[in-house]
Amino acid sequence: MLAGKVYSAVDGQLLRELAEVREIIHDYNALRPSDSAGKLMILQQLLGNIADDEIIIVQPFYCDYGKQISVGKRFFANFNFTVLDEARVTIGDNCFIGPNVSIYTACHSTDPEERNSRREWARPVNIGHNVWIGGSVTILPGVTIGDNVTIGAGSVVAGDIPPNSVAVGNPCKVIKHLE
């Protein structure tokens, strides 16, 4: 799965891991919003890497495996942050995620027969440093977003976004380059 090869989405080991993570996510989302220590403890257990303890992920939060997610220093994600991390999701320092943002790494065939076989593959998502992602943005598999980027609310990011730019729309396109 992490190598980007085709795998069975109904593999027993993967289904067990997903079930375990859903229990952890349930516990995280059930914590009182003021329980910063409890939230940090669960995130440290769940996520693959956290650069420091200045991490805020407002509840509810959803992910598939958690361990493929890596976040940099001073990370903030607003409510309903959803990450389908069948491949690695790497997010740099000083990144801010608006509400209702989804990051997808899982890929499915457009051929119905092939899709119904439950075989899929995944592509990593990489987000640089100093990135602001507006509310209700969807980031698709295989995307890289460079450093110092702003993604406008409601965008669907289907391709790479270069550093030092502002990008918006569906599909998301660069509308401004920063100096």
Side-chain angles (χ1 to χ4, degrees):
M1 184 171 75
L2 290 174
K5 297 183 182 202
V6 174
Y7 62 91
S8 171
V10 293
D11 173 80
Q13 176 62 32
L14 295 179
L15 292 176
R16 283 188 294 280
E17 288 182 38
L18 287 167
E20 289 171 13
V21 169
R22 285 191 175 96
E23 294 292 328
I24 296 168
I25 290 291
H26 172 81
D27 292 345
Y28 181 82
N29 289 331
L31 288 173
R32 297 189 62 78
S34 60
D35 188 357
S36 298
K39 289 189 288 187
L40 178 61
M41 186 176 73
I42 289 176
L43 290 173
Q44 288 172 330
Q45 170 193 355
L46 178 65
L47 302 184
N49 185 58
I50 298 173
D52 65 19
D53 60 1
E54 290 186 56
I55 179 173
I56 297 171
I57 299 179
V58 178
Q59 298 137 298
F61 165 59
Y62 305 99
C63 67
D64 277 343
Y65 295 94
K67 63 187 176 184
Q68 273 84 253
I69 302 169
S70 184
V71 298
K73 296 175 183 173
R74 293 171 301 282
F75 178 73
F76 174 85
N78 215 321
F79 61 85
N80 287 324
F81 182 41
T82 300
V83 184
L84 304 187
D85 59 315
E86 280 68 20
R88 297 197 192 292
V89 174
T90 305
I91 302 171
D93 296 341
N94 299 306
C95 288
F96 302 95
I97 309 288
N100 304 309
V101 169
S102 297
I103 299 174
Y104 305 141
T105 65
C107 303
H108 307 277
S109 176
T110 56
D111 176 83
E113 189 172 315
E114 193 174 324
R115 184 173 54 245
N116 290 339
S117 76
R118 304 297 193 260
R119 299 185 61 71
E120 58 187 54
W121 62 98
R123 299 286 180 259
V125 169
N126 295 291
I127 299 172
H129 302 294
N130 308 309
V131 173
W132 173 255
I133 298 174
S136 299
V137 167
T138 300
I139 300 171
L140 298 180
V143 164
T144 294
I145 297 172
D147 294 342
N148 310 312
V149 167
T150 298
I151 304 291
S155 296
V156 176
V157 187
D160 293 350
I161 304 296
N164 305 307
S165 60
V166 176
V168 300
N170 180 5
C172 191
K173 295 195 183 307
V174 173
I175 60 164
K176 179 179 179 182
H177 292 280
L178 306 175
E179 302 207 12

